Amino acid sequence: PMGILVVNLTGSFVLGILTGAAAHHALSRPWLTVAGTGFVGAYTTFSTLTSDTVRLAEDDRWGVSVRTVAASLTLGIGAAAAGLAVGAIT
């Protein structure tokens, strides 16, 4: 789960940067769409996170499963917010 978490957090951060740049520095919407959904979407592994979470739950490793999802959501929102701040000033 740690590798999946790292990839998703870095993807959330990059998407935050792109969104901040689009909101504050006139990065075009088509470029945001291509970069955000195309490149960042291909890089992140949220489907793998879901699959891994189900596998952990099926193996009766509920604690790890819940912690993995909670960390991914909480830290992912934080990474996106940090990226948004960076994108706004760059």
Side-chain angles (χ1 to χ4, degrees):
M2 188 57 75
I4 297 167
L5 182 63
V6 169
V7 167
N8 288 341
L9 292 180
T10 56
S12 294
F13 181 73
V14 170
L15 188 56
I17 291 173
L18 292 171
T19 304
H24 297 282
H25 302 291
L27 177 68
S28 70
R29 295 277 181 201
W31 175 242
L32 176 62
T33 301
V34 168
T37 58
F39 298 116
V40 178
Y43 171 71
T44 57
T45 58
F46 287 100
S47 59
T48 305
L49 171 67
T50 303
S51 174
D52 201 38
T53 301
V54 169
R55 185 186 52 77
L56 288 168
E58 288 175 345
D59 291 344
D60 288 329
R61 296 177 64 195
W62 286 95
V64 175
S65 179
V66 169
R67 284 192 303 273
T68 299
V69 170
S72 184
L73 291 173
T74 304
L75 297 174
I77 291 170
L84 186 63
V86 169
I89 61 173
T90 349

